[in-house]
Amino acid sequence: MDRERLKRIVVDVIREMEDAPFITTGVSNRHIHLSRADMDALYGPAYQLTPVKELQPGQYASKETVAVSGPKGKFSSVRILGPVRGLTQFELSLSDTFALGVPCPVNESGNLSGAGRVRIENPASGAAIERDCAIVAMRHVHLRPETAGKYGLKDKQLVSLEYSTKGRRLVFADVLLRVSEKFVDEIHLDTDEANAGAIKNGDLGLIIAGDRV
Amino acid sequence: MDRERLKRIVVDVIREMEDAPFITTGVSNRHIHLSRADMDALYGPAYQLTPVKELQPGQYASKETVAVSGPKGKFSSVRILGPVRGLTQFELSLSDTFALGVPCPVNESGNLSGAGRVRIENPASGAAIERDCAIVAMRHVHLRPETAGKYGLKDKQLVSLEYSTKGRRLVFADVLLRVSEKFVDEIHLDTDEANAGAIKNGDLGLIIAGDRV
């Protein structure tokens, strides 16, 4: 049995023992979603990404990466997540915004209001575009309806999330909860948030409803 | 009147109005303290740093920088803080440890137990040393005795810190409080912690004693 499978079983056991909403955490490193038109501009008409790892149902990391740059810096290898989306969106951490020299808003995914301008390049061909597409994705929780129902939680509720890592215990407040049949149960944090709490991908966060903080 | 001075006055006014322990935050980027022997090895015998900015009473940022590297990466310009100390200590964020490929413990400053090994280089001369000196400095609060007394806080007490940035509100728990005549009132966070809460240098954190979280 591999380590990841064993970890998942341990997680399930803990949840059952505690009967509290401990939810697994997905930590997002910087990544990009491309529109069909921008994919064509960078890789040629009707180019198809090569999936290498499923992330969530229907969403995958692709083999392909792009270089993304701003006035102060460059990330030479940013993973493209597929499939293509309606709009190109580059998700980065606040630390990353300082490294690039591109001020970006903290927005819900899909909201490009005020998004930062970056240069996106296919490193193999040199094809490049500039887009106002860079946002810091706001932390959020995805729950399946049966999980939400079990713990009395509702779609669009604001909750707190507690992480109890030794020496870095913290509580994120005002975290948006979304409930849908399409989701898997998962907390979505970025690398700044994860590292502030010494939280690793797959670690459990505890949902606290009500006004504890 | 310059912006920093004005900001400090506004901070003081807010504190007095609220009569609650709002404390200003100092956000530490990666930096290094050098021992006398390591300074000599890198810069030559009895070399004296050139102070450019006072940070706390008796502590300053120097003009000089070093390059610090590990198996996976390199920071080409790490600020040396003076004066020299008993032991060389490189303080970095958890994000930085991944960039360098150097696992490091989260320790109180001064505790080099389990510290990561890095290469430290004087970029001008090429002189270099390797030291087990890299730690992620544990967040903490410094208070003067009169501030601690006013709010009923004690040396070595664990407190929580609340930051109310819109959309990124959070609470750091189990934060060590230190009280001394030698300190200025200040919360010390690193860049991961600051960015997780969209906290900027000089922002106010609220000390919460007791067991709110």
Tab-separated table of all heavy atoms in Angstrom, chain B residues 86-136:
chain	number	residue	atom	x	y	z
B	86	GLY	N	27.087	35.981	18.694
B	86	GLY	CA	27.864	34.814	19.139
B	86	GLY	C	27.885	33.708	18.090
B	86	GLY	O	28.905	33.067	17.876
B	87	LEU	N	26.742	33.489	17.432
B	87	LEU	CA	26.636	32.423	16.434
B	87	LEU	C	26.026	32.961	15.145
B	87	LEU	O	25.134	33.819	15.174
B	87	LEU	CB	25.739	31.287	16.951
B	87	LEU	CG	26.310	30.366	18.023
B	87	LEU	CD1	25.218	29.428	18.541
B	87	LEU	CD2	27.486	29.545	17.462
B	88	THR	N	26.499	32.443	14.025
B	88	THR	CA	25.907	32.774	12.732
B	88	THR	C	24.518	32.144	12.641
B	88	THR	O	24.343	30.967	12.964
B	88	THR	CB	26.813	32.254	11.596
B	88	THR	OG1	28.005	33.043	11.599
B	88	THR	CG2	26.137	32.357	10.238
B	89	GLN	N	23.525	32.931	12.228
B	89	GLN	CA	22.146	32.445	12.129
B	89	GLN	C	21.489	33.037	10.880
B	89	GLN	O	21.423	34.251	10.726
B	89	GLN	CB	21.360	32.857	13.379
B	89	GLN	CG	19.878	32.489	13.349
B	89	GLN	CD	19.205	32.735	14.695
B	89	GLN	OE1	19.590	32.197	15.728
B	89	GLN	NE2	18.168	33.571	14.696
B	90	PHE	N	21.003	32.156	9.995
B	90	PHE	CA	20.285	32.584	8.796
B	90	PHE	C	18.796	32.348	9.038
B	90	PHE	O	18.379	31.227	9.297
B	90	PHE	CB	20.775	31.783	7.577
B	90	PHE	CG	20.016	32.059	6.305
B	90	PHE	CD1	19.748	33.360	5.891
B	90	PHE	CD2	19.583	31.009	5.496
B	90	PHE	CE1	19.054	33.611	4.709
B	90	PHE	CE2	18.895	31.246	4.318
B	90	PHE	CZ	18.629	32.550	3.932
B	91	GLU	N	17.992	33.418	8.982
B	91	GLU	CA	16.548	33.310	9.210
B	91	GLU	C	15.821	33.421	7.875
B	91	GLU	O	16.018	34.379	7.131
B	91	GLU	CB	16.080	34.403	10.170
B	91	GLU	CG	16.696	34.264	11.551
B	91	GLU	CD	16.269	35.378	12.508
B	91	GLU	OE1	15.089	35.766	12.500
B	91	GLU	OE2	17.139	35.876	13.260
B	92	LEU	N	14.969	32.438	7.593
B	92	LEU	CA	14.248	32.403	6.324
B	92	LEU	C	12.823	31.919	6.561
B	92	LEU	O	12.485	31.465	7.649
B	92	LEU	CB	14.992	31.514	5.321
B	92	LEU	CG	14.979	29.977	5.484
B	92	LEU	CD1	15.698	29.336	4.302
B	92	LEU	CD2	15.604	29.511	6.775
B	93	SER	N	11.974	32.055	5.545
B	93	SER	CA	10.587	31.584	5.675
B	93	SER	C	10.512	30.116	5.260
B	93	SER	O	11.427	29.592	4.611
B	93	SER	CB	9.665	32.416	4.782
B	93	SER	OG	9.898	32.105	3.424
B	94	LEU	N	9.414	29.443	5.599
B	94	LEU	CA	9.225	28.065	5.143
B	94	LEU	C	9.233	27.993	3.621
B	94	LEU	O	9.792	27.063	3.040
B	94	LEU	CB	7.911	27.493	5.686
B	94	LEU	CG	7.971	26.643	6.955
B	94	LEU	CD1	6.599	26.078	7.254
B	94	LEU	CD2	8.987	25.519	6.843
B	95	SER	N	8.604	28.989	2.952
B	95	SER	CA	8.645	29.036	1.479
B	95	SER	C	10.088	29.041	0.991
B	95	SER	O	10.441	28.349	0.033
B	95	SER	CB	7.947	30.297	0.952
B	95	SER	OG	6.577	30.289	1.254
B	96	ASP	N	10.926	29.834	1.660
B	96	ASP	CA	12.344	29.905	1.280
B	96	ASP	C	13.038	28.555	1.431
B	96	ASP	O	13.920	28.209	0.629
B	96	ASP	CB	13.090	30.925	2.163
B	96	ASP	CG	12.684	32.369	1.892
B	96	ASP	OD1	12.128	32.653	0.817
B	96	ASP	OD2	12.952	33.218	2.776
B	97	THR	N	12.667	27.796	2.476
B	97	THR	CA	13.334	26.495	2.686
B	97	THR	C	13.069	25.561	1.509
B	97	THR	O	13.942	24.796	1.114
B	97	THR	CB	12.873	25.783	3.994
B	97	THR	OG1	11.519	25.332	3.862
B	97	THR	CG2	13.006	26.682	5.208
B	98	PHE	N	11.848	25.653	0.927
B	98	PHE	CA	11.532	24.821	-0.236
B	98	PHE	C	12.305	25.305	-1.462
B	98	PHE	O	12.773	24.505	-2.274
B	98	PHE	CB	10.022	24.811	-0.507
B	98	PHE	CG	9.225	24.239	0.633
B	98	PHE	CD1	8.203	24.966	1.222
B	98	PHE	CD2	9.506	22.980	1.134
B	98	PHE	CE1	7.465	24.450	2.295
B	98	PHE	CE2	8.786	22.451	2.205
B	98	PHE	CZ	7.756	23.188	2.778
B	99	ALA	N	12.431	26.635	-1.610
B	99	ALA	CA	13.165	27.199	-2.753
B	99	ALA	C	14.643	26.783	-2.708
B	99	ALA	O	15.240	26.505	-3.744
B	99	ALA	CB	13.025	28.716	-2.775
B	100	LEU	N	15.223	26.728	-1.517
B	100	LEU	CA	16.633	26.327	-1.385
B	100	LEU	C	16.812	24.810	-1.392
B	100	LEU	O	17.901	24.316	-1.679
B	100	LEU	CB	17.233	26.864	-0.072
B	100	LEU	CG	17.468	28.359	0.058
B	100	LEU	CD1	18.182	28.654	1.376
B	100	LEU	CD2	18.298	28.892	-1.107
B	101	GLY	N	15.731	24.098	-1.046
B	101	GLY	CA	15.866	22.645	-0.885
B	101	GLY	C	16.562	22.282	0.405
B	101	GLY	O	17.272	21.272	0.479
B	102	VAL	N	16.370	23.096	1.442
B	102	VAL	CA	17.016	22.875	2.736
B	102	VAL	C	15.946	22.778	3.828
B	102	VAL	O	15.344	23.783	4.200
B	102	VAL	CB	17.986	24.026	3.079
B	102	VAL	CG1	18.613	23.818	4.458
B	102	VAL	CG2	19.070	24.156	2.022
B	103	PRO	N	15.661	21.570	4.331
B	103	PRO	CA	14.694	21.467	5.430
B	103	PRO	C	15.243	22.174	6.672
B	103	PRO	O	16.407	21.999	7.014
B	103	PRO	CB	14.600	19.954	5.682
B	103	PRO	CG	15.186	19.303	4.461
B	103	PRO	CD	16.211	20.273	3.937
B	104	CYS	N	14.389	22.996	7.306
B	104	CYS	CA	14.818	23.769	8.475
B	104	CYS	C	13.728	23.705	9.538
B	104	CYS	O	12.547	23.662	9.209
B	104	CYS	CB	15.010	25.244	8.103
B	104	CYS	SG	16.265	25.513	6.851
B	105	PRO	N	14.120	23.725	10.814
B	105	PRO	CA	13.122	23.710	11.885
B	105	PRO	C	12.537	25.103	12.118
B	105	PRO	O	13.159	26.108	11.775
B	105	PRO	CB	13.943	23.278	13.102
B	105	PRO	CG	15.309	23.831	12.828
B	105	PRO	CD	15.501	23.747	11.336
B	106	VAL	N	11.331	25.145	12.711
B	106	VAL	CA	10.766	26.402	13.216
B	106	VAL	C	11.233	26.522	14.660
B	106	VAL	O	10.763	25.799	15.530
B	106	VAL	CB	9.224	26.409	13.138
B	106	VAL	CG1	8.675	27.720	13.682
B	106	VAL	CG2	8.742	26.187	11.711
B	107	ASN	N	12.202	27.381	14.903
B	107	ASN	CA	12.821	27.519	16.223
B	107	ASN	C	12.722	28.953	16.736
B	107	ASN	O	12.633	29.890	15.944
B	107	ASN	CB	14.326	27.206	16.135
B	107	ASN	CG	14.637	25.724	16.091
B	107	ASN	OD1	13.735	24.888	16.150
B	107	ASN	ND2	15.916	25.403	15.961
B	108	GLU	N	12.777	29.098	18.073
B	108	GLU	CA	13.009	30.432	18.618
B	108	GLU	C	14.378	30.928	18.159
B	108	GLU	O	15.326	30.144	18.063
B	108	GLU	CB	12.983	30.391	20.155
B	108	GLU	CG	11.589	30.317	20.737
B	108	GLU	CD	11.626	30.329	22.256
B	108	GLU	OE1	12.180	31.276	22.833
B	108	GLU	OE2	11.098	29.374	22.857
B	109	SER	N	14.461	32.218	17.895
B	109	SER	CA	15.744	32.804	17.496
B	109	SER	C	16.805	32.469	18.547
B	109	SER	O	16.543	32.528	19.742
B	109	SER	CB	15.593	34.315	17.358
B	109	SER	OG	16.823	34.895	16.992
B	110	GLY	N	17.995	32.076	18.093
B	110	GLY	CA	19.078	31.724	19.006
B	110	GLY	C	19.204	30.230	19.222
B	110	GLY	O	20.238	29.746	19.661
B	111	ASN	N	18.151	29.457	18.886
B	111	ASN	CA	18.171	28.001	19.023
B	111	ASN	C	18.497	27.379	17.655
B	111	ASN	O	17.645	27.354	16.773
B	111	ASN	CB	16.817	27.511	19.534
B	111	ASN	CG	16.722	25.986	19.561
B	111	ASN	OD1	17.702	25.284	19.291
B	111	ASN	ND2	15.535	25.479	19.872
B	112	LEU	N	19.703	26.882	17.504
B	112	LEU	CA	20.129	26.317	16.211
B	112	LEU	C	20.013	24.790	16.192
B	112	LEU	O	20.571	24.125	15.322
B	112	LEU	CB	21.554	26.754	15.887
B	112	LEU	CG	21.733	28.259	15.634
B	112	LEU	CD1	23.182	28.578	15.282
B	112	LEU	CD2	20.814	28.740	14.513
B	113	SER	N	19.239	24.230	17.129
B	113	SER	CA	19.027	22.783	17.160
B	113	SER	C	18.360	22.332	15.856
B	113	SER	O	17.276	22.787	15.518
B	113	SER	CB	18.163	22.448	18.367
B	113	SER	OG	17.691	21.137	18.280
B	114	GLY	N	19.015	21.453	15.114
B	114	GLY	CA	18.459	20.928	13.867
B	114	GLY	C	18.525	21.884	12.694
B	114	GLY	O	17.907	21.634	11.642
B	115	ALA	N	19.271	22.975	12.839
B	115	ALA	CA	19.317	24.006	11.791
B	115	ALA	C	19.798	23.431	10.459
B	115	ALA	O	20.619	22.502	10.426
B	115	ALA	CB	20.233	25.152	12.234
B	116	GLY	N	19.279	23.984	9.354
B	116	GLY	CA	19.646	23.525	8.012
B	116	GLY	C	21.029	24.012	7.604
B	116	GLY	O	21.498	25.055	8.064
B	117	ARG	N	21.671	23.236	6.713
B	117	ARG	CA	23.022	23.565	6.254
B	117	ARG	C	22.936	24.385	4.966
B	117	ARG	O	22.308	23.966	3.999
B	117	ARG	CB	23.804	22.279	5.989
B	117	ARG	CG	25.285	22.518	5.672
B	117	ARG	CD	26.067	21.191	5.640
B	117	ARG	NE	27.503	21.405	5.613
B	117	ARG	CZ	28.248	21.652	6.684
B	117	ARG	NH1	27.711	21.708	7.861
B	117	ARG	NH2	29.563	21.843	6.542
B	118	VAL	N	23.589	25.536	4.952
B	118	VAL	CA	23.612	26.392	3.747
B	118	VAL	C	25.041	26.849	3.464
B	118	VAL	O	25.912	26.819	4.346
B	118	VAL	CB	22.710	27.641	3.906
B	118	VAL	CG1	21.238	27.252	3.924
B	118	VAL	CG2	23.076	28.452	5.152
B	119	ARG	N	25.240	27.277	2.230
B	119	ARG	CA	26.515	27.859	1.806
B	119	ARG	C	26.342	29.368	1.804
B	119	ARG	O	25.350	29.892	1.282
B	119	ARG	CB	26.844	27.352	0.402
B	119	ARG	CG	28.197	27.802	-0.131
B	119	ARG	CD	28.482	27.092	-1.478
B	119	ARG	NE	29.837	27.381	-1.952
B	119	ARG	CZ	30.159	28.462	-2.653
B	119	ARG	NH1	29.243	29.346	-2.977
B	119	ARG	NH2	31.419	28.649	-3.052
B	120	ILE	N	27.280	30.071	2.424
B	120	ILE	CA	27.216	31.528	2.534
B	120	ILE	C	28.427	32.102	1.809
B	120	ILE	O	29.566	31.687	2.069
B	120	ILE	CB	27.251	31.972	4.020
B	120	ILE	CG1	26.166	31.247	4.817
B	120	ILE	CG2	27.095	33.491	4.141
B	120	ILE	CD1	26.371	31.308	6.331
B	121	GLU	N	28.181	33.041	0.895
B	121	GLU	CA	29.266	33.532	0.041
B	121	GLU	C	29.304	35.059	0.023
B	121	GLU	O	28.257	35.725	-0.029
B	121	GLU	CB	29.049	32.999	-1.381
B	121	GLU	CG	30.156	33.370	-2.351
B	121	GLU	CD	29.845	32.949	-3.793
B	121	GLU	OE1	28.964	32.070	-3.985
B	121	GLU	OE2	30.465	33.512	-4.714
B	122	ASN	N	30.498	35.604	0.067
B	122	ASN	CA	30.696	37.030	-0.200
B	122	ASN	C	30.766	37.184	-1.712
B	122	ASN	O	31.746	36.746	-2.330
B	122	ASN	CB	32.001	37.493	0.465
B	122	ASN	CG	32.356	38.925	0.095
B	122	ASN	OD1	31.767	39.509	-0.800
B	122	ASN	ND2	33.339	39.487	0.795
B	123	PRO	N	29.740	37.763	-2.333
B	123	PRO	CA	29.685	37.759	-3.794
B	123	PRO	C	30.829	38.558	-4.431
B	123	PRO	O	31.229	38.279	-5.555
B	123	PRO	CB	28.335	38.413	-4.131
B	123	PRO	CG	27.669	38.720	-2.852
B	123	PRO	CD	28.612	38.480	-1.725
B	124	ALA	N	31.382	39.513	-3.677
B	124	ALA	CA	32.455	40.346	-4.244
B	124	ALA	C	33.766	39.570	-4.344
B	124	ALA	O	34.462	39.637	-5.357
B	124	ALA	CB	32.636	41.598	-3.394
B	125	SER	N	34.093	38.799	-3.292
B	125	SER	CA	35.403	38.132	-3.245
B	125	SER	C	35.332	36.655	-3.622
B	125	SER	O	36.351	36.046	-3.951
B	125	SER	CB	35.983	38.240	-1.835
B	125	SER	OG	35.212	37.449	-0.935
B	126	GLY	N	34.140	36.080	-3.516
B	126	GLY	CA	34.015	34.638	-3.738
B	126	GLY	C	34.300	33.810	-2.496
B	126	GLY	O	34.121	32.598	-2.490
B	127	ALA	N	34.750	34.437	-1.403
B	127	ALA	CA	34.991	33.707	-0.153
B	127	ALA	C	33.681	33.066	0.315
B	127	ALA	O	32.627	33.718	0.276
B	127	ALA	CB	35.524	34.650	0.917
B	128	ALA	N	33.744	31.808	0.751
B	128	ALA	CA	32.511	31.103	1.120
B	128	ALA	C	32.720	30.160	2.296
B	128	ALA	O	33.831	29.659	2.511
B	128	ALA	CB	31.973	30.338	-0.079
B	129	ILE	N	31.632	29.959	3.065
B	129	ILE	CA	31.648	29.011	4.181
B	129	ILE	C	30.358	28.194	4.126
B	129	ILE	O	29.385	28.601	3.488
B	129	ILE	CB	31.728	29.728	5.558
B	129	ILE	CG1	30.587	30.754	5.689
B	129	ILE	CG2	33.090	30.416	5.726
B	129	ILE	CD1	30.557	31.490	7.038
B	130	GLU	N	30.361	27.027	4.773
B	130	GLU	CA	29.120	26.248	4.943
B	130	GLU	C	28.833	26.140	6.426
B	130	GLU	O	29.729	25.830	7.209
B	130	GLU	CB	29.259	24.860	4.323
B	130	GLU	CG	29.264	24.891	2.815
B	130	GLU	CD	28.797	23.558	2.210
B	130	GLU	OE1	28.414	22.649	2.966
B	130	GLU	OE2	28.804	23.459	0.973
B	131	ARG	N	27.581	26.377	6.795
B	131	ARG	CA	27.226	26.357	8.218
B	131	ARG	C	25.831	25.730	8.424
B	131	ARG	O	24.938	25.917	7.585
B	131	ARG	CB	27.175	27.783	8.786
B	131	ARG	CG	28.526	28.496	8.885
B	131	ARG	CD	29.418	27.886	9.964
B	131	ARG	NE	30.719	28.554	10.027
B	131	ARG	CZ	31.786	28.206	9.306
B	131	ARG	NH1	31.723	27.213	8.444
B	131	ARG	NH2	32.929	28.878	9.442
B	132	ASP	N	25.655	25.040	9.530
B	132	ASP	CA	24.329	24.530	9.936
B	132	ASP	C	23.644	25.628	10.744
B	132	ASP	O	23.632	25.605	11.981
B	132	ASP	CB	24.492	23.271	10.800
B	132	ASP	CG	25.188	22.145	10.050
B	132	ASP	OD1	24.907	21.977	8.847
B	132	ASP	OD2	26.022	21.452	10.657
B	133	CYS	N	23.088	26.596	10.058
B	133	CYS	CA	22.659	27.834	10.728
B	133	CYS	C	21.297	28.347	10.277
B	133	CYS	O	20.902	29.448	10.655
B	133	CYS	CB	23.708	28.914	10.506
B	133	CYS	SG	23.780	29.473	8.784
B	134	ALA	N	20.565	27.568	9.440
B	134	ALA	CA	19.324	28.087	8.845
B	134	ALA	C	18.102	27.645	9.657
B	134	ALA	O	17.849	26.448	9.816
B	134	ALA	CB	19.194	27.623	7.398
B	135	ILE	N	17.356	28.603	10.176
B	135	ILE	CA	16.123	28.301	10.915
B	135	ILE	C	14.986	29.217	10.430
B	135	ILE	O	15.231	30.309	9.914
B	135	ILE	CB	16.280	28.494	12.447
B	135	ILE	CG1	16.574	29.971	12.790
B	135	ILE	CG2	17.365	27.581	13.005
B	135	ILE	CD1	16.387	30.294	14.264
B	136	VAL	N	13.759	28.723	10.600
B	136	VAL	CA	12.575	29.562	10.440
B	136	VAL	C	12.278	30.127	11.825
B	136	VAL	O	12.001	29.364	12.755
B	136	VAL	CB	11.376	28.740	9.920
B	136	VAL	CG1	10.139	29.613	9.773
B	136	VAL	CG2	11.726	28.056	8.605
